[in-house]
Each structure stands twice: as C-alpha cells, then as structure tokens.
Amino acid sequence: MSQGFGHELPARHVQQDHRKVSRYLFVIGSSAGPVAKLFLDSREQVGEFDAGTEEVAVMTRSATSSTGASGTEWDKALSGHSGQERAAATVYLLDV
C-alpha cells in the first residue's frame, strides 16, 4: 500500500513576470508590403506582423492615430526604415 511516501516533492511554482502592455501600433511600409509593429512606452519593439491581419483591424478600431514617426524618440526603434517610410507611417495610440 504505497501512498507516495519517500517520493520527492515537486518544486515550488515560480511566477514569471508578464510582458508590459503594448502602447503603440505602427503600420509602416516596407519592401515586402505594410508591416504592423508593436512598441512599449519605452519605444522597445515587442512584436511585428503583417498589417493585413484581422488583429490589426481589431486593435485600431477604437485607437487614435496620427501620421508620421519622424521624431527623434523613434530614431533607434525605426532605424531600418527610410525617412519616407517613417513620414508615411500611421501611428496608433493603444488604450491601456
């Protein structure tokens, strides 16, 4: 009649930190077509996917938008894009 005596106890569960909430959604042109990029408040990129997906439509439904990302705060985050692509980009401010 074994009731588990002598067996090692499982390790304690460690709660991992969750990723912060994305604050900005960019729809920016590229050579392969429009791309959607997600950024944190710190301007750190946390995601990139095709801008034609249904998720982009859902995220932008109630978001406010502006055109252009030519400010110096975006220089590092968007360094792989030309000035024309950055000027034509649509920037959405996501609700938190």
Side-chain angles (χ1 to χ4, degrees):
M1 179 159 51
S2 173
Q3 296 177 348
F5 295 116
H7 293 278
E8 182 179 0
L9 291 174
R12 288 187 63 74
H13 177 73
V14 177
Q15 180 65 37
Q16 296 179 351
D17 292 333
H18 294 284
R19 186 185 66 158
K20 295 179 182 177
V21 175
S22 299
R23 185 73 171 147
Y24 300 100
L25 172 70
F26 272 73
V27 176
I28 191 165
S30 71
S31 59
V35 175
K37 296 184 176 205
L38 289 171
F39 291 93
L40 300 176
D41 273 333
S42 63
R43 309 304 199 267
E44 175 188 352
Q45 184 176 338
V46 293
E48 181 174 330
F49 47 95
D50 180 21
T53 62
E54 182 180 351
E55 288 81 5
V56 172
V58 171
M59 285 190 279
T60 59
R61 188 175 299 143
S62 63
T64 58
S65 68
S66 63
T67 302
S70 300
T72 58
E73 67 273 13
W74 295 107
D75 285 348
K76 183 178 177 185
L78 298 174
S79 62
H81 293 278
S82 70
Q84 290 176 335
E85 289 173 341
R86 289 177 59 175
T90 305
V91 182
Y92 293 94
L93 183 61
L94 302 176
D95 294 331
V96 284

